[in-house]
Each structure stands twice: as C-alpha cells, then as structure tokens.
Amino acid sequence: MSGCRLLMRRVAAVRTCQALVAPRASWRLLRTGPPRRSFAKELFLGKIEKKGVFPFPEVSQDELNEINQFVGLVERFFAEEVDSGKIDREGKIPDDTLEKLKSLGLFGMQVPEAYGGLGLSNTMSTRLGEIVSLDGSIAVTLAAHQALGLKGIVLFGTEAQKAKYLPRLASGEHVAAFCLTEPARNDAASIRSRATLSEDKTHYVLNGSKVWITNGGLAEIFTMFAKTEVVDSDGSVKDRITAFIVERDFGGVTNGKLGDKLGLRGSNICEVHFENTRVPVVNVLGEVGGGFKVAMDVLNSGRFSLGSVVAGMLRKLIELTAEYACERKQFNRKLSEFGLIQEKFSLMAQKAYAMESMSYLTAGMLDHPECPDCSIETAMVKVFSSEGAWQCVSEALQILGGLGYMRDHPHERMLRDARALLFLEGTNEILRMFIALTGLQHAGCVLTPRIKNLKEGRLAIALETITQRMWDTLGRTVDLGLMDDPGVVHPSLGDSVAKLEENVYNFGRTVETLLLRFGKTIVEEQLLMKRVANVLINLYSMTAVLSRASRSIRIGLQDHDHEVLLASTFCAEAYFQNLFSLAQLDKYDPGNLDEQVKKVSRRILEKRTYVCAHPLDRTS
Amino acid sequence: MAELRALVAVKRVIDFAVKIRVKPDKTGVVTDGVKHSMNPFCEIAVEEAVRLKEKKLVKEVIAVSCGPVQCQETIRTALAMGADRGIHVEVPAAEADRVGPLQVARVLAKLAEREKVDLVLLGKQAIDDDCNQTGQMTAGLLDWPQGTFASQVTLEGAKLKVEREIDGGLETLRLKLPAVVTTDLRLNEPRYATLPNIMKAKKKKIEVIKASDLGVDLSSKLTVVSVEDPPQRTAGVKVETTEDLVAKLKEVGRI
C-alpha cells in the first residue's frame, strides 16, 4: 500500500531528526553530549530508559511565576471576552476578538524573542494551551498559525527569512497557514503541486491546489509544499518535494469557499489555489528537495500540544458536570450517588491525569538540551488525547442526558469540536501505524544480527532463546530497576511499577517474536500493528503517570494521595488491557479474530454493500 | 509638568469570582489554595496612573503593596500594566491579618514622603474588607487634600480637578498638589496586560523593605472576634391588609 511506503519514508526522515523546537537561548543549556536514547524506541527492546522520564520534569520557580502570570491573564481574557457559543453559531471569530488576541501577544508564543515573539519553551506553550483550549476554534486557529504555519520558518528558515517574516507573524499582522494536503491523494509523498524553476533561475512558478487548509482564508504567509525537479548526485533528474514561503502578495493565490463544518465552526478552513504564483528563489525553505523533512519535522513538533489542550478542557468539563451531578436528583437521590455516574467521573479524571502527565513529560523531553527523537512520544500523546477527549465529552453529555443535547449547554459544542481531533494533524489510524513501525524499525536494526543468527540456526543463540522463553512461561519476576535503591519511583507505587515492568518485558519479547515472524512484511499487518501501538501508548501513559505521582509524593504536593489513587487505578486498567493485546499478538491465539475480520470486510467491499439477504426474505 | 511622580497602592485580594468559605474555627475565610488577584479598584488606580504617564503628565509611577511574599505577583501585574518600579513592604503571613487600613496608611504616608511623590492613587475600597478608609487616613496622616470616589481626574497645572460620585450626584473639587485620590468604578476601564509586557516587566525592579525600615509601627488596636456566614435567608410572611401588617410588626417587636 502506498500509505505504508509513506510511513517507511517518514520513519527514515525521523531517524535523522534533531531537536524539534528552537529553545529559548538565554535559559537553555547548549547541547553538551550525544542525544539521549528515545524512551519509546527503547520500550520496543523491552527496556526502560530511565533518564528521559524520571524524575518528572521541573521548571524553575521563576519560570513558574512567569507562566502563572501569563495563565492568569489569558484565563481572564477568555472568561470576559470570548463568547464560544456566539463563535459557534455565527461560524466566525469576531474581528475584534481576533485583534485582541493579537495584541495580547498570543500569535507570537512560539516565535523566538529575537524576532518579536515570546519564545516560549514547549512546557510553557503547553501550559498556555490549556487555557486557549476553552474555545476550540480559537485554539485551532492559533495552532495552525504558529505550531504549523510559521514553525517551518522558525526551524528551517535562514536569518534573512526569519528577520523578514517572523516579526509581523509574531504580532499577528500577518497570519500563517500550512499547505500540504491535496485533493487527489492523502499521503504527503505523492503531492501534485509543482514548482518550476524559471529560465533565468530567479524564481519558481508555482501551480497547485491544497485542501483542508486551516487559516487558508485569513493567511498572508503560506508554508507551501510542491514538487520540484532535482538533479541527484548520480546525475538523474528526480521529482522531490520542496518547501516554500509563499506570500499572498506574490499573486495567483485564491481561496475556495469556507467549508460548512460539524465543529470548530469559528475556524477558517478552506481550499487554497496557486496559479502561476511567482516565488523568488530566496523563499525556498530549507533545501531544494528537502521539503519532506520540513513537513515531517513541523508536523511532529506541532502534534503533542493537543494533550494539554484536551486536559485543560476536561478539567473545566469535570467541574461543570460535577456541579450538575451533585445538584440534580433522580429517583429521589442525587445523580452523584449512582455508581454508573460515578464511573464516568472516574474515567474523566483518570484520562485527564494521564493526558496532563504525558503532555508535560513530553514537553520536558523536547525542552531538554539532549532531546532525543520524540516523534513517537508526540504521536502517542495526540492519539491518546484525541480519543480520550471524544470519549469523555460523550460521557459528560450523557450525564446531562437530554439537557446535554440542547444547545444552551456547552457539551454538544465541545463534542462536535472534539470529533475533529481524531483526524486532524494526522488521523489516529495513520499515527498508530507510524508509532508501531518506527519502533519496530528501531528494534529491527538492533535485533537484526540476533535474528539472523537465529534464522541461520546458530545453536548457542537458539538454546539461549529457548531457555529464556521457558523461564518466561514459568513466570519469571521482572525487575527492570525502577524500584532499586534508590529507586526512581516512590515505594507506595510499587505495585503499579511491577505491572509496568512486567508489561515492558513482555512487550520486548513480543516485538522480537513479531520481527522473527514477519520481518519487513510487518508493514502490511495493520491489525497487529494497531495492538502494538495500543500497548505502547498504554506503557507510555503508565510511565508518565507514575513519574508524576512519584514527584507529587516526594515534594508533598496538595492532594497527592488522590494522585496515587488515580495513578494506580489507571495503571491497573492499562496493565490488563496490555495483557489482552499482547496475548492476541501471539500467532496461535484463539482470541485473535483478524483473519475473520478481514474476510468479512473483503466480501462487503467487493460488492460495496451489506451483502446479507434481508431477514424476512424467503427462498421460494 | 512631566516632573510629577505618582505612588499607586495595590492590594492582593481573593478573586471576585471565587465562592468564599468561612474557616471552621471562625477566625477568617479560607485563603489557602484559593485564587487571588489584584483588587479591581486598585486596577483602576493603576490604569489611571499609567494613562497620566502616557499623556506625559506624570514622569514615574511607583506601585506599592503591603503583605506577604505573594504580594509581589500583584506588584508585577501593576508593572506589566505600565508602572515603572515596585516597592513591596513585606509583612510575614502570620501578621498579615492584623494589617488594616490605619497600618497601611502609615506605610503609604512614609513612602509618599520618602519617594517625594505628588500624587497617591488608591482604589476606593478593597473587596475583601470593604473598609473604604485607607485613602482617607493616608491623606490625614500626610495632611494632604483628598479626592475620593473619583470618576474623573484632570490635571490642571499644579492643581487636580477631581469629579466625585457621591450619593447626591456628582461633586467637582479642585485640589492643590500633592494630593490623595481614591478611584471609583467609572473612572476608567483597566487594560489587559499583554504577554510581551509581562515579559518586559520582569526587568523592572521591585524593592523589598520592612515596615520597620520606614519607622512604621504595624501594631493594631483592633482584633477580629469572629467571622461568620451571614444568616440564611428565611422565608417571609405574607399579610392581607395594612392592619395585619401593623399587628404582625408589633408582635415581632419591631414597633
């Protein structure tokens, strides 16, 4: 499938990925050592890379004071000036609200200070994301502008390009958009837009159509991706993607009409067409032919902010819904006394706790000077948070019942806004494949010599593997060092840690078996890779939750006993889910119904109908 | 005229949107973990001072607050709104409850003299104690004229024209500088500090001193006896005629 080829290429690009966000120079150390090993990748080898995740990242008191001031300000602004109901009904963010957002400085959060922005670290941007999330349309507009639209310039722009474009983008005078997706194909590698170098080599002529472009109608500056002819080192001429900074003023840029969307109705999402647009050669972003890497790096770095955005939204939702549940009576008892309602609150709290923990853990990783490749971690945060959002908002609406369905309450709008998260910024299906494949490839490289030996029938290795497996089935106790003395996890979480370590070990074994079974063809086994990704997401969230709870206990944070409860409940549930998924990855597992599933869908898709005869039909 | 200097006093209070709860021991209200922010009337005072500075009528705006270390957050907000520097008169948290209008007025009077300011601006009252005394006491201690409940302030040379909102309507005063002004709701609408301004404010200085450095005695002759919730509203009684009403009132001992 071409989708899988794309994934392999993305994986290749990712392996060469460096630190993803320009850090605030004055406060961040220079990189002094080799990049750390990626936590997620090491999990595929059954190892827990402690350094990256324990202890839970801290910010200095100064940074915290500053960020709290920012938060106070933005919270107040949103409470007093933003009418989300109105934005949803009218399908537009009012001009004066947009102007105020710009004057507050919110359009320049991720632009370095030197160019007029706030130069916020990932951690601080994540914190502010929690407040901006109060309105989905505003959150998406700001994200598309800075996490995507101008991020390419921040990461790959030359000094001249940064100096020319970033100041006005930071002030909001210009808005940015990210133009990658096209109508014909969904994978980034096979776009059709074309940029042809002019005869005199001073400019490119750009032609192409892009769809689903957030801020497409508002933007003056576009990060645009098109195919260019590149002469390879061996002299052959190939088509490669190049990234360009395109100004609307270059001419030939038009917009399609605004889509009529289910949710995020205040956001501006439309088609953008480029017809014979002249782009000066100095506006090439990064290297000619290096556009794919630009695209992937920008997308990878923008993705994880979703975690805090959803967590912030869930916190508000829990408060709102709890007020209701504690006041409303049914059958002469308050709703809050019923088990099925209580279960929903527990679910929302656990999900929010895990999302917050994962977001700040990942932000801390990205902010660290020896930042490893965090593309898997950011993808996991996105998948977990988007699905958590959809599930939790639906449950909260359910608690309100009919009232939740009415437009007077925010729940229905939040549900509609949340639905988009499942396919925005990379559909969760593609991201799961990305997560699984990237890790499998890493494990594959490390394990290849061993697997080769096994396949060649080297006796010593074979014996070693067999004895190992025997011990596994006899139930070995796993100790990966998290509870060592001094341990990195607080003893009161010992039970959950044991579960995590056991899962990680078994996961490593399972990965090895899968690689042995399939080798490179694992790329085609989406249903298996789905389970691999799910286990990994659970492992990461368990780790994040344990790391955060440990810190809370250690420093004596308010209500840390409640955190321990949340953490251990969450880990227990994830543990059993993992056991289930891992069991199904076994070759002969009777619970694995993948073959049947595929057979059913094959018939349906062949005939493009439901296939079965009607239950009332007769044969005579 | 851009030689004038202004001192603005700001108070950190529980945020107006928070639901107040009385402590079980009745010594006060719960403040731990509760959201605090700058007193809304103090914000109006800061805004007025900054506007005067923007009109180049005032050269320097100094923000001051008395209280525990968290007051510095409030001073920083004032700095982010446009004040030039801050002074934090530090009072340990345990003693902060006993610092009332008279004590703050003593501090402000001493600071006004030390900093040689021409204008002292404050909010008319704080939303936690509703005392409405600090500005008046400060003027008294300094023996300066005062314009309270200001809804409009105009500088006219060495005089200050203050329009006051009083129960009977509007009263206009002309005060000779130096003077004390307390601000009322309709004076102005305070600006949002912007994120870039919050960052720039970090470079502005906050001087931390103790009341004793100013030679001020913070002792109070008042003690809080108890803090209680207002009584729950009970249902009223409906009557048919005026005679019934008079009879009922006599019954309850009201007349």
Side-chain angles (χ1 to χ4, degrees):
Chain A
M1 284 181 293
S2 58
C4 293
R5 238 184 302 128
L6 149 74
L7 290 162
M8 292 312 273
R9 287 182 64 182
R10 280 174 88 156
V11 159
V14 147
R15 282 175 81 197
T16 53
C17 180
Q18 299 295 298
L20 293 175
V21 174
R24 259 176 113 168
S26 51
W27 284 359
R28 308 281 161 225
L29 310 164
L30 296 169
R31 176 183 298 192
T32 47
R36 284 177 169 174
R37 279 193 284 247
S38 153
F39 177 74
K41 286 185 183 168
E42 290 298 300
L43 284 178
F44 278 81
L45 296 169
K47 296 202 200 127
I48 297 185
E49 178 72 12
K50 282 187 254 179
K51 265 200 291 177
V53 296
F54 295 103
F56 199 73
E58 297 261 2
V59 292
S60 66
Q61 185 64 45
D62 265 350
E63 266 190 272
L64 191 59
N65 286 345
E66 191 181 15
I67 207 30
N68 281 339
Q69 270 202 298
F70 287 160
V71 165
L73 163 68
V74 179
E75 252 178 356
R76 218 178 120 185
F77 174 77
F78 270 78
E80 292 175 11
E81 302 271 337
V82 173
D83 184 351
S84 298
K86 182 162 169 228
I87 293 176
D88 183 61
R89 274 191 308 273
E90 298 185 1
K92 180 181 153 90
I93 303 172
D95 286 332
D96 66 308
T97 308
L98 218 47
E99 279 313 308
K100 290 201 180 124
L101 286 168
K102 290 176 185 176
S103 65
L104 276 186
L106 288 175
F107 274 66
M109 289 192 282
Q110 295 187 30
V111 175
E113 270 183 88
Y115 301 101
L118 295 175
L120 294 185
S121 63
N122 286 293
T123 308
M124 294 172 71
S125 301
T126 305
R127 182 63 182 95
L128 279 181
E130 290 182 33
I131 321 290
V132 170
S133 69
L134 290 174
D135 185 282
S137 306
I138 294 183
V140 152
T141 304
L142 287 175
H145 166 80
Q146 50 195 322
L148 292 179
L150 56 79
K151 193 53 94 56
I153 307 179
V154 170
L155 295 179
F156 293 94
T158 60
E159 267 311 307
Q161 287 169 337
K162 288 185 193 177
K164 179 169 181 195
Y165 291 108
L166 289 180
R168 277 188 283 182
L169 285 168
S171 70
E173 192 186 325
H174 285 163
V175 176
F178 188 78
C179 297
L180 181 61
T181 317
E182 295 199 357
R185 304 287 287 277
N186 214 343
D187 53 352
S190 48
I191 60 178
R192 291 234 186 104
S193 303
R194 197 147 263 289
T196 329
L197 191 55
S198 64
E199 289 275 319
D200 56 6
K201 299 207 190 266
T202 58
H203 62 271
Y204 284 87
V205 176
L206 194 60
N207 277 286
S209 282
K210 299 289 185 184
V211 292
W212 304 121
I213 307 302
T214 314
N215 295 346
L218 299 174
E220 284 85 13
I221 310 289
F222 301 87
T223 302
M224 161 70 169
F225 295 86
K227 282 266 173 69
T228 48
E229 273 183 5
V230 170
V231 180
D232 255 358
S233 46
D234 58 2
S236 60
V237 173
K238 294 235 170 71
D239 266 352
R240 292 225 195 281
I241 304 177
T242 304
F244 296 92
I245 307 174
V246 181
E247 294 177 37
R248 193 183 280 273
D249 287 340
F250 289 161
V253 182
T254 49
N255 293 120
K257 69 175 172 78
L258 271 190
D260 191 11
K261 305 180 292 291
L262 170 67
L264 301 175
R265 290 180 66 82
S267 65
N268 180 300
I269 302 186
C270 60
E271 293 172 10
V272 182
H273 306 284
F274 298 87
E275 200 178 313
N276 294 326
T277 308
R278 294 167 59 114
V279 180
V281 168
V282 289
N283 275 33
V284 167
L285 189 57
E287 287 172 18
V288 175
F292 192 74
K293 178 166 159 51
V294 172
M296 291 305 114
D297 282 1
V298 171
L299 286 171
N300 280 336
S301 72
R303 196 166 273 147
F304 85 104
S305 60
L306 215 66
S308 68
V309 161
V310 175
M313 188 261 295
L314 278 186
R315 266 211 297 273
K316 271 264 135 56
L317 194 62
I318 292 176
E319 273 171 27
L320 265 180
T321 317
E323 267 303 317
Y324 178 81
C326 294
E327 298 296 315
R328 169 116 171 110
K329 279 181 142 168
Q330 287 277 50
F331 305 108
N332 223 1
R333 291 162 74 176
K334 298 253 163 72
L335 280 188
S336 49
E337 298 176 43
F338 294 106
L340 287 176
I341 302 289
Q342 290 165 353
E343 186 178 33
K344 295 184 206 292
F345 280 101
S346 174
L347 171 78
M348 291 195 275
Q350 281 179 59
K351 292 278 177 185
Y353 190 74
M355 270 177 225
E356 287 173 336
S357 312
M358 284 167 93
S359 298
Y360 286 102
L361 186 63
T362 316
M365 278 183 198
L366 287 169
D367 279 341
H368 196 278
E370 287 165 12
C371 153
D373 164 32
C374 295
S375 51
I376 306 186
E377 285 85 348
T378 57
M380 290 197 281
V381 172
K382 193 266 179 184
V383 171
F384 184 87
S385 309
S386 52
E387 293 181 0
W390 180 240
Q391 194 186 9
C392 292
V393 180
S394 186
E395 296 285 11
L397 192 152
Q398 184 72 0
I399 294 175
L400 263 71
L403 273 185
Y405 205 63
M406 304 303 289
R407 290 174 91 168
D408 331 322
H409 286 262
H411 298 69
E412 60 85 28
R413 186 193 73 242
M414 289 165 89
L415 191 67
R416 286 186 288 110
D417 285 349
R419 186 58 183 85
L421 300 176
L422 296 170
F423 51 79
L424 264 193
E425 297 229 31
T427 67
N428 286 0
E429 285 74 19
I430 295 185
L431 287 179
R432 278 195 162 84
M433 296 302 111
F434 171 71
I435 291 167
L437 277 181
T438 313
L440 286 169
Q441 192 188 47
H442 172 78
C445 289
V446 173
L447 295 174
T448 299
R450 211 177 125 85
I451 293 186
K452 218 170 102 179
N453 285 335
L454 275 173
K455 290 215 164 127
E456 287 172 358
R458 290 274 188 83
L459 193 59
I461 310 267
L463 272 179
E464 191 202 318
T465 318
I466 294 175
T467 16
Q468 225 178 32
R469 295 304 163 113
M470 251 180 59
W471 274 121
D472 287 348
T473 35
L474 290 175
R476 67 154 76 210
T477 40
V478 179
D479 181 4
L480 294 175
L482 288 184
M483 297 299 297
D484 278 351
D485 180 25
V488 285
V489 185
H490 194 272
S492 54
L493 296 162
D495 209 31
S496 307
V497 169
K499 296 191 164 92
L500 173 65
E501 289 183 330
E502 190 193 311
N503 272 164
V504 171
Y505 178 77
N506 286 328
F507 183 62
R509 295 268 136 270
T510 311
V511 163
E512 195 179 308
T513 315
L514 282 176
L515 286 171
L516 208 59
R517 264 170 77 191
F518 293 99
K520 290 219 168 83
T521 63
I522 188 97
V523 149
E524 306 291 328
E525 303 291 327
Q526 285 209 337
L527 293 172
L528 290 180
M529 292 207 291
K530 171 193 83 171
R531 293 182 181 91
V532 168
N534 285 343
V535 171
L536 198 73
I537 295 174
N538 274 343
L539 292 177
Y540 189 52
S541 50
M542 284 161 87
T543 314
V545 145
L546 289 173
S547 179
R548 175 187 173 181
S550 277
R551 170 180 177 266
S552 300
I553 304 172
R554 213 181 347 111
I555 66 176
L557 263 189
Q558 224 178 352
D559 296 314
H560 62 259
D561 52 333
H562 184 73
E563 288 195 39
V564 171
L565 188 57
L566 275 177
S568 42
T569 316
F570 180 82
C571 285
E573 196 166 332
Y575 170 72
F576 288 110
Q577 282 177 3
N578 283 349
L579 287 182
F580 188 63
S581 300
L582 286 170
Q584 287 194 341
L585 283 170
D586 194 59
K587 190 168 180 179
Y588 302 109
D589 181 63
N592 182 324
L593 303 168
D594 291 355
E595 282 315 307
Q596 287 96 309
V597 164
K598 287 190 206 169
K599 274 197 197 144
V600 167
S601 66
R602 219 170 289 146
R603 281 296 289 285
I604 296 173
L605 295 171
E606 249 167 33
K607 301 218 169 151
R608 300 198 187 182
T609 99
Y610 170 53
V611 174
C612 298
H614 194 270
L616 298 178
D617 278 350
R618 296 169 67 95
T619 51
S620 56
Chain B
M1 267 308 107
E3 293 306 310
L4 294 183
R5 299 175 59 216
L7 184 72
V8 184
V10 295
K11 188 178 183 188
R12 177 176 180 262
V13 298
I14 297 181
D15 189 85
F16 74 89
V18 168
K19 221 171 154 183
I20 309 283
R21 284 184 300 134
V22 176
K23 279 200 273 201
D25 62 5
K26 297 199 180 178
T27 54
V29 298
V30 176
T31 49
D32 267 344
V34 169
K35 184 164 178 224
H36 284 65
S37 44
M38 191 193 289
N39 182 37
F41 294 107
C42 297
E43 277 179 3
I44 298 178
V46 174
E47 175 66 23
E48 195 60 23
V50 172
R51 285 190 191 187
L52 286 172
K53 186 173 148 206
E54 285 172 348
K55 287 190 208 142
K56 303 225 192 303
L57 297 168
V58 159
K59 191 176 80 169
E60 190 186 29
V61 175
I62 308 166
V64 60
S65 191
C66 300
V69 70
Q70 293 93 331
C71 287
Q72 290 190 15
E73 288 166 18
T74 320
I75 301 177
R76 285 209 192 284
T77 311
L79 294 174
M81 283 171 75
D84 296 293
R85 60 185 168 91
I87 302 176
H88 172 212
V89 180
E90 190 165 9
V91 177
E95 293 169 29
D97 291 336
R98 281 180 274 124
V99 171
L102 182 56
Q103 289 70 29
V104 175
R106 287 183 187 142
V107 167
L108 291 181
K110 276 282 182 315
L111 277 176
E113 283 169 348
R114 186 185 92 161
E115 300 291 332
K116 299 189 183 32
V117 297
D118 308 284
L119 183 59
V120 177
L121 280 158
L122 310 91
K124 70 171 181 184
Q125 64 198 61
I127 60 172
D128 52 7
D129 53 21
D130 282 332
C131 285
N132 191 348
Q133 297 168 356
T134 314
Q136 291 88 331
M137 286 177 172
T138 311
L141 289 169
L142 285 167
D143 199 24
W144 285 8
Q146 56 181 274
T148 52
F149 312 120
S151 63
Q152 209 170 81
V153 171
T154 333
L155 202 54
E156 291 176 348
K159 296 230 173 89
L160 202 64
K161 186 173 98 172
V162 178
E163 201 175 81
R164 309 177 58 221
E165 279 192 13
I166 56 175
D167 288 342
L170 293 173
E171 184 189 56
T172 312
L173 298 177
R174 256 189 200 80
L175 313 172
K176 259 203 279 198
L177 292 175
V180 174
V181 171
T182 71
T183 60
D184 205 336
L185 198 59
R186 273 162 283 276
L187 177 57
N188 61 46
E189 195 167 322
R191 65 194 61 191
Y192 288 107
T194 64
L195 297 181
N197 281 348
I198 294 180
M199 274 177 49
K200 284 195 211 124
K202 273 193 321 195
K203 302 198 184 90
K204 299 184 185 175
K205 284 183 81 166
I206 298 184
E207 187 194 343
V208 182
I209 56 177
K210 293 205 202 20
S212 47
D213 296 340
L214 296 169
V216 167
D217 174 23
L218 287 182
S219 62
S220 169
K221 296 207 183 110
L222 300 174
T223 19
V224 171
V225 171
S226 104
V227 176
E228 291 166 15
D229 273 305
Q232 287 277 14
R233 251 192 102 165
T234 48
V237 178
K238 268 181 153 165
V239 292
E240 296 293 312
T241 67
T242 333
E243 285 80 13
D244 283 347
L245 178 61
V246 173
K248 267 268 176 324
L249 285 172
K250 279 196 178 148
E251 212 178 282
V252 186
R254 292 291 187 169
I255 46 172

